[in-house]
Amino acid sequence: MTTAEAQARYPLTQGVNPWLVTASVMLPTFMEVLDTAIASVALPYIAGSLSATNSEATWVLTSYLVANAVILPASNWFARRWGRKRFLLICVVIFTIASFFCGAAPSLGVILLARILQGAGGGALQPLSQSILLESFPPEKRSMSMAAYGLGIVVAPVLGPTLGGWLTDTFSWRYAFYINIPVGILAVFMIARFVHDPPYIKNAKVGAFDNIGFGLLIVWTGCLQVVLDKGQEDDWFGALWVRWAVAALIIGFIGWIWRSWTNPRGLVDLHVLKNRNFRTGCFLIALLGMCIYITIAILPLYYQEILGYTAFTAGLVVGPRGIGSFIGSPVIGMLGSRIDNRKLLSAGFIGFGVCSLIFGTVNLDIGPYTLLVPILVTGFALSFVFVPLATMTTATLSREEMGNATGLFNMLRNIGGSIGIAMATTAIIRRAALHQTEIGANLSPSSAVFQQKSRMITMYLGHQIGQPSARPGSLGLMYGLLQQQSALLAYIDVFRWTALLAFFCAGAVWLFGKPPKHAVPPPGAH
């Protein structure tokens, strides 16, 4: 095929097959999302290796999330200023180099600095990839592009714990970061070869850098992430620093909204929220982020903390969710252009909610295959949610608005996920304490059942550890069972609340405007 024929066949990608563009931009995005989940599994090993406490080691996650959240909404300005392809290459290079320094870090301070650089490099990968994919396919085929994007976004967090557990157990936690290096090198080569900037990016007139807007963005996103990650440890508003951080968060957020609204040529243009579909999509993606990250974070924890699975085994048990997403992505890619996406969205949220209700029926006797089907269906349902949601949210936007919109869209998903994880973690701790109090109120020492069970355990332990230690040992075992049952009930509560949130989203889907048949692309779309 000659160059002229290729450009005539693929005008949106300047003669490059759009699936090559898809593979090029999805490599770094998959790597970035995967790395977040891998690092969370390796956290205890990082703490032990660098002589840090578990609380100090959580800053490895927090520092990354703060830098990530700051860059996400600002990515469109940098892409217009330096060119989207060049900025994407810079981000991949920074992420890859920072991954090396994370793996080679000799101390906690070094790895925190490297994680900040890694978060800054990785923050722009998701919105850049999404906007490139949306522009590489004609409007009638955008469902297929979003299916490929959704496959990476949904599957990567599921594979992360499994891969991270295997690398950490087999080699070292350092290889959880070193694995990014060959992927990053391949991504740089493919992006340089197959990705091109459209004319409107090359000819973009960019205003001066909005120092005030960027400073306000750093303040409110940084405060939000730190409060969400550390609030539970210090009893939330019971700590003075949390109250000051929330005050700074509110002031910074209001100031950032005012600055972004009155200065649309700055870092972020909030006027895109006037679009009904985009506004609805932003609301739903924040709620979806909560649903996804709650289940991704809580289900493996249930297997590890309640049932005693290792990190690698727990990752294997929840791994079928990735298989479900892998199966569902091509299916939704084909159905997306034929069926009203609101129906697909409702079906996906309802399926996710039903699976969450099934998770809410767990007990201490389940095996590794008990939840295989609902875990598989959860991944399949998420494909029916993410792809139509991303497609409908951006369907009525012009190409010039796409970069700014995808930055906001991905930022809200990450913020929703952070809020969801913080809420779920807090709920598990506090509901477990509540259930322990309720169950303990019915365990009177004068109870016949309590005395019978205690006597049976004492007799058994008397043959194992001797009579003097048998009585205290029996009480210790019964208290352990009390804590286990209390934690179990707390996890059940969180799963059921997640189901209610999913069912609410299934109804909120109909806030989207009805998509017209054979819709004409919006102004500026080609």
Side-chain angles (χ1 to χ4, degrees):
M1 186 183 299
T2 64
T3 303
E5 290 173 339
Q7 291 182 348
R9 183 171 182 181
Y10 306 117
L12 298 179
T13 54
Q14 302 181 36
V16 179
N17 189 313
W19 289 109
L20 286 175
V21 177
T22 300
S24 302
V25 299
M26 280 312 302
L27 262 180
T29 303
F30 187 85
M31 172 181 68
E32 188 266 335
V33 179
L34 185 73
D35 187 78
T36 305
I38 286 180
S40 63
V41 173
L43 211 58
Y45 301 89
I46 294 174
S49 176
L50 301 181
S51 302
T53 64
N54 284 335
S55 178
E56 291 172 336
T58 56
W59 283 102
V60 172
L61 299 179
T62 305
S63 59
Y64 179 87
L65 291 173
V66 170
N68 204 276
V70 169
I71 295 297
L72 260 172
S75 59
N76 184 54
W77 188 91
F78 291 111
R80 287 182 296 150
R81 175 65 180 82
W82 295 327
R84 192 164 59 191
K85 176 180 178 178
R86 184 184 303 170
F87 182 51
L88 182 58
L89 284 170
I90 291 172
C91 288
V92 176
V93 169
I94 291 175
F95 188 88
T96 306
I97 293 175
S99 296
F100 168 78
F101 285 107
C102 285
S107 65
L108 184 65
V110 173
I111 195 173
L112 290 182
L113 179 60
R115 285 289 282 176
I116 291 173
L117 291 175
Q118 195 182 38
L125 294 180
Q126 294 182 41
L128 288 177
S129 299
Q130 187 176 1
S131 58
I132 290 172
L133 286 179
L134 285 167
E135 295 182 23
S136 298
F137 290 81
E140 64 274 11
K141 294 184 178 179
R142 281 180 179 171
S143 292
M144 294 295 292
S145 66
M146 285 299 96
Y149 181 75
L151 183 65
I153 297 299
V154 174
V155 173
V158 178
L159 294 182
T162 308
L163 181 59
W166 179 76
L167 287 172
T168 303
D169 291 343
T170 307
F171 302 101
S172 165
W173 63 266
R174 299 182 185 276
Y175 285 87
F177 297 105
Y178 288 150
I179 194 175
N180 294 332
I181 297 174
V183 179
I185 293 173
L186 177 61
V188 167
F189 170 77
M190 293 186 69
I191 292 169
R193 177 69 178 83
F194 299 120
V195 176
H196 302 284
D197 283 339
Y200 82 88
I201 289 285
K202 295 178 180 178
N203 304 324
K205 304 297 182 186
V206 184
F209 186 76
D210 186 5
N211 295 306
I212 297 176
F214 191 62
L216 292 170
L217 179 65
I218 291 174
V219 170
W220 81 262
T221 52
C223 289
L224 177 65
Q225 290 292 348
V226 171
V227 167
L228 290 175
D229 287 350
K230 298 294 181 180
Q232 171 58 33
E233 295 179 15
D234 293 339
D235 195 29
W236 295 103
F237 288 101
L240 180 63
W241 77 264
V242 173
R243 297 197 291 269
W244 278 107
V246 171
L249 159 63
I250 294 172
I251 295 171
F253 182 63
I254 294 174
W256 178 74
I257 290 178
W258 176 81
R259 179 72 179 181
S260 300
W261 190 267
T262 58
N263 185 25
R265 292 186 63 82
L267 283 180
V268 181
D269 181 10
L270 294 181
H271 287 86
V272 71
L273 290 170
K274 291 180 178 179
N275 184 291
R276 174 183 171 181
N277 274 14
F278 181 73
R279 186 169 62 247
T280 303
C282 285
F283 172 67
L284 284 173
I285 195 63
L287 297 182
L288 175 62
M290 293 176 66
C291 292
I292 290 178
Y293 282 96
I294 285 175
T295 53
I296 286 175
I298 298 305
L299 195 58
L301 277 179
Y302 167 77
Y303 280 105
Q304 292 177 70
E305 294 187 357
I306 306 300
L307 301 183
Y309 288 28
T310 65
F312 177 57
T313 308
L316 286 178
V317 172
V318 300
R321 184 187 287 128
I323 298 174
S325 297
F326 188 81
I327 296 171
S329 291
V331 174
I332 193 62
M334 292 184 291
L335 295 178
S337 57
R338 303 176 185 178
I339 301 176
D340 186 344
N341 280 352
R342 295 177 299 177
K343 296 179 181 178
L344 297 175
L345 271 171
S346 287
F349 274 121
I350 290 172
F352 185 88
V354 170
C355 291
S356 296
L357 283 179
I358 295 174
F359 295 153
T361 64
V362 293
N363 54 50
L364 300 179
D365 297 325
I366 69 169
Y369 302 107
T370 305
L371 298 179
L372 175 62
V373 172
I375 288 174
L376 190 70
V377 174
T378 300
F380 189 82
L382 285 176
S383 299
F384 274 68
V385 172
F386 187 84
V387 177
L389 180 57
T391 303
M392 289 199 69
T393 302
T394 56
T396 54
L397 298 177
S398 66
R399 296 183 71 187
E400 287 76 7
E401 296 174 310
M402 206 68 77
N404 179 67
T406 53
L408 284 172
F409 185 76
N410 284 279
M411 180 187 73
L412 287 170
R413 192 193 74 241
N414 282 12
I415 288 176
S418 297
I419 293 174
I421 291 174
M423 289 174 61
T425 303
T426 302
I428 286 175
I429 294 172
R430 302 200 172 190
R431 294 293 293 181
L434 174 64
H435 289 303
Q436 182 173 327
T437 302
E438 293 174 343
I439 297 173
N442 297 313
L443 289 178
S444 171
S446 60
S447 167
V449 175
F450 179 85
Q451 291 178 359
Q452 179 186 10
K453 297 295 183 183
S454 177
R455 192 178 302 113
M456 292 173 59
I457 297 174
T458 302
M459 290 176 60
Y460 172 76
L461 291 179
H463 296 90
Q464 306 296 324
I465 59 176
Q467 289 298 330
S469 302
R471 176 62 178 171
S474 68
L475 295 177
L477 281 175
M478 294 190 72
Y479 181 66
L481 289 173
L482 171 62
Q483 288 184 309
Q484 190 180 34
Q485 290 286 352
S486 302
L488 170 66
L489 292 174
Y491 277 95
I492 288 174
D493 290 340
V494 172
F495 287 135
R496 290 176 178 174
W497 292 342
T498 305
L500 291 177
L501 182 60
F503 291 140
F504 170 78
C505 292
V509 160
W510 296 94
L511 293 173
F512 275 115
K514 184 178 180 180
K517 296 182 179 180
H518 309 295
V520 178
H526 304 288

